[in-house]
Amino acid sequence: MLCVAVLLLPSCKKFLDKKQNASAVVPSTLSDIQALLDEDIMIESVSPSYMEASSDEYFLTDDVYSSFSEYGQDMYTWVPFTVTAANSSNDWHDSYYPVYNANLALDLIKNIDRNSANAAAWDNAKGSALFYRSYNFLNLLWDYSKAYDSSTADKDLGIALRLTSDFNVPSARATVQQSYKQVISDTKAAIPLLPDYPLALTRPSKGAAYGLLARCYLSMRDYKDALSYADSCLQLNNSLIDFNGDEDIIGSIANDEPFKRLNKETVFYTTMNYEYDIFSYVGNIDTAILRSYDSNDLRLIAYFGDNGTGSYFKASYGNDYFMNFTGIAVDEMYLTRAECYIRTGQVQKGLDDINTLLSKRYKTGTYVPPTGLSQNDALTRALLERRKELLLRDNRWMDIKRLNKEGANIILKRIIAGKTYTLQPNANFYALPLPEDIIRTTGMPQNPL
């Protein structure tokens, strides 16, 4: 045994010397950087679930509620909850992980000269990294900060704007104003670098960046700019799935998971993390939403299944009702443009967008376009269709926050074991609590509870 060990020592030394060469393990080429940006963690189970869990699109039965963890129950009833980021999946961890990858890519690409031979790959890598950072920053803002208000945004607590992969740089919370400015700056910088259409819908593109800016400006209640960028997105892709029959429907809309993954409406693909698992059979769709669909609306068949205690949502564009689609899609852009057309006084253009969408959602020949609607009535219609179309896509929490800033007075209500819980408009809970270990480690201020 001793002789064998002596004979092996030289080869072991060579092996260890080789592994100690940092260039063997640190990404250094454009293909390395692109591989870093193509990791599953950039798109799968990345979008926050806590804000969707706290919204008003579903309810839990008493038995299901009782089976949840304490912090899951608190989240459902809008009681300030405690969660830690370390060694677990949660909104903070799952959103800042891709931010780190994006920052690492941006730091690494500084060491690679752009030239005529690598220009396309270099541009795509840098543009993608900027997009991923801004995409996740916006999700974090919607989750952990108050709704944008121009009168208080320069004072309200925003997010930690991590702009480097160097973990020695301390984290601090920027203001809401600074945070939105960073999202806009990153996304606009990405646009000239990205292709009109990506090699795969799991990668960013110009259309995705336009869609992200439309989301951002809509949440800021800047309806003019939201209109402009939603329109730019639709100029690149305005294809809709026809629920009466379409190549992107798997068999029948009555089937479980009826829509193909990466279908024609997908502009950019991401899914929600499943830390808070309400989205399969256990979460029942709010009955008020179900009653809002016309009997000829095929979404009643396509979207919902019966779980014995109510209706569950089965129609994620991720083709998996355990991982809800949260990406940017054509139907969302139609509804964003429609709302913004109406808000800016172009009522008929807004109704035209709604009619275009619903003509693909109703049984053939049964949809009757509304006529003679006032601006207020048209806006009410646009907001209702937005709620009916974009179920469980991570839009509703921010919609409630921004609409309450408009005076909508949306009060959320839960009933558990005969006890009623409510969440009042503009309550502190709309900025969800940061993980306690992040607060302890960084010294950043916690959201008011």
Side-chain angles (χ1 to χ4, degrees):
M1 289 176 63
L2 179 61
C3 291
V4 171
V6 170
L7 289 171
L8 288 177
L9 276 175
S11 59
C12 288
K13 184 178 186 301
K14 290 177 183 177
F15 174 76
L16 291 172
D17 287 346
K18 183 177 180 181
K19 295 300 288 185
Q20 287 169 355
N21 182 353
S23 65
V25 294
V26 176
S28 59
T29 68
L30 277 177
S31 59
D32 290 339
I33 293 171
Q34 187 61 60
L36 187 71
L37 296 172
D38 285 338
E39 283 193 58
D40 285 348
I41 61 102
M42 305 302 284
I43 57 166
E44 295 282 8
S45 302
V46 64
S47 298
S49 64
Y50 293 170
M51 57 185 177
E52 187 64 61
S54 299
S55 78
D56 61 350
E57 296 188 310
Y58 77 104
F59 69 93
L60 301 176
T61 64
D62 289 357
D63 288 345
V64 172
Y65 170 83
S66 298
S67 72
F68 274 47
S69 64
E70 182 179 355
Y71 88 87
Q73 293 178 358
D74 289 345
M75 201 182 305
Y76 182 74
T77 54
W78 312 299
V79 175
F81 56 89
T82 299
V83 66
T84 59
N87 302 317
S88 65
S89 173
N90 56 65
D91 286 0
W92 186 274
H93 170 278
D94 292 347
S95 292
Y96 274 110
Y97 198 153
V99 167
Y100 174 82
N101 267 20
N103 281 331
L104 181 57
L106 290 169
D107 288 343
L108 291 170
I109 206 167
K110 294 174 185 175
N111 300 319
I112 301 174
D113 291 333
R114 183 183 183 276
N115 54 52
S116 58
N118 70 9
W122 195 98
D123 288 351
N124 187 72
K126 183 173 182 180
S128 295
L130 288 166
F131 174 89
Y132 282 122
R133 187 167 73 183
S134 58
Y135 188 85
N136 287 282
F137 277 170
L138 186 61
N139 281 337
L140 287 159
L141 268 169
W142 288 6
D143 214 12
Y144 292 111
S145 296
K146 294 180 178 179
Y148 184 89
D149 185 327
S150 59
S151 64
T152 61
D154 61 340
K155 304 178 187 66
D156 292 335
L157 289 170
I159 58 172
L161 294 175
R162 298 294 306 177
L163 304 179
T164 175
S165 60
D166 183 356
F167 56 82
N168 293 302
V169 176
S171 292
R173 293 188 74 172
T175 66
V176 166
Q177 182 72 50
Q178 291 167 333
S179 301
Y180 272 97
K181 184 177 179 181
Q182 187 68 49
V183 171
I184 293 167
S185 174
D186 278 352
T187 313
K188 287 185 174 179
I191 289 172
L193 300 172
L194 292 170
D196 289 355
Y197 303 99
L199 289 177
L201 296 172
T202 52
R203 285 185 174 185
S205 64
K206 275 189 173 65
Y210 291 142
L212 180 58
L213 284 171
R215 278 185 174 181
C216 180
Y217 282 118
L218 185 70
S219 67
M220 296 173 73
R221 294 179 291 133
D222 181 341
Y223 300 116
K224 180 181 176 182
D225 281 333
L227 168 59
S228 175
Y229 284 106
D231 181 68
S232 293
C233 183
L234 289 169
Q235 295 304 316
L236 291 171
N237 182 6
N238 58 18
S239 299
L240 290 166
I241 299 171
D242 188 342
F243 283 20
N244 290 281
D246 195 282
E247 63 185 2
D248 282 326
I249 294 173
I250 303 171
S252 165
I253 58 170
N255 293 342
D256 265 6
E257 303 171 349
F259 300 111
K260 288 182 180 178
R261 184 176 180 266
L262 308 179
N263 58 58
K264 64 171 62 70
E265 290 190 16
T266 305
V267 178
F268 175 67
Y269 179 89
T270 56
T271 59
M272 189 183 300
N273 74 48
Y274 43 85
E275 167 68 7
Y276 191 94
D277 185 15
I278 61 170
F279 308 121
S280 53
Y281 291 103
V282 300
N284 293 332
I285 297 299
D286 185 89
T287 54
I289 298 176
L290 293 171
R291 290 194 300 268
S292 69
Y293 293 90
D294 186 272
S295 60
N296 290 312
D297 193 330
L298 292 172
R299 289 175 294 188
L300 274 172
I301 302 170
Y303 282 8
F304 309 114
D306 186 350
N307 65 5
T309 61
S311 295
Y312 70 95
F313 182 74
K314 66 181 179 70
S316 168
Y317 280 3
N319 191 238
D320 184 345
Y321 49 70
F322 288 100
M323 294 176 64
N324 279 348
F325 172 78
T326 56
I328 297 163
V330 171
D331 57 347
E332 179 192 348
M333 291 298 106
Y334 267 113
L335 291 165
T336 297
R337 190 172 71 175
E339 178 185 343
C340 294
Y341 268 141
I342 293 166
R343 287 185 181 276
T344 56
Q346 302 173 80
V347 175
Q348 191 54 54
K349 284 187 175 182
L351 292 174
D352 288 345
D353 275 348
I354 293 172
N355 296 338
T356 297
L357 173 66
L358 295 186
S359 67
K360 302 292 187 180
R361 301 306 194 241
Y362 274 57
K363 295 177 184 176
T364 301
T366 64
Y367 177 66
V368 179
T371 58
L373 295 185
S374 67
Q375 184 177 16
N376 284 339
D377 288 343
L379 180 58
T380 298
R381 180 65 182 271
L383 293 174
L384 176 61
E385 292 304 331
R386 182 176 177 86
R387 192 174 187 200
K388 290 157 63 178
E389 179 71 18
L390 305 180
L391 278 167
L392 300 179
R393 289 205 204 168
D394 246 3
N395 288 277
R396 180 60 181 168
W397 188 245
M398 177 47 70
D399 279 350
I400 295 169
K401 290 161 75 167
R402 70 178 175 90
L403 293 172
N404 276 338
K405 283 290 183 179
E406 303 275 356
N409 197 37
I410 300 169
I411 300 173
L412 307 192
K413 183 172 74 171
R414 312 276 205 207
I415 300 175
I416 291 292
K419 182 178 179 180
T420 299
Y421 300 83
T422 59
L423 184 65
Q424 297 297 315
N426 307 312
N428 284 338
F429 191 88
Y430 278 109
L432 294 167
L434 276 62
E436 284 298 322
D437 52 347
I438 297 297
I439 297 299
R440 289 194 302 271
T441 302
T442 66
M444 292 190 295
Q446 180 63 277
N447 284 326
L449 305 177

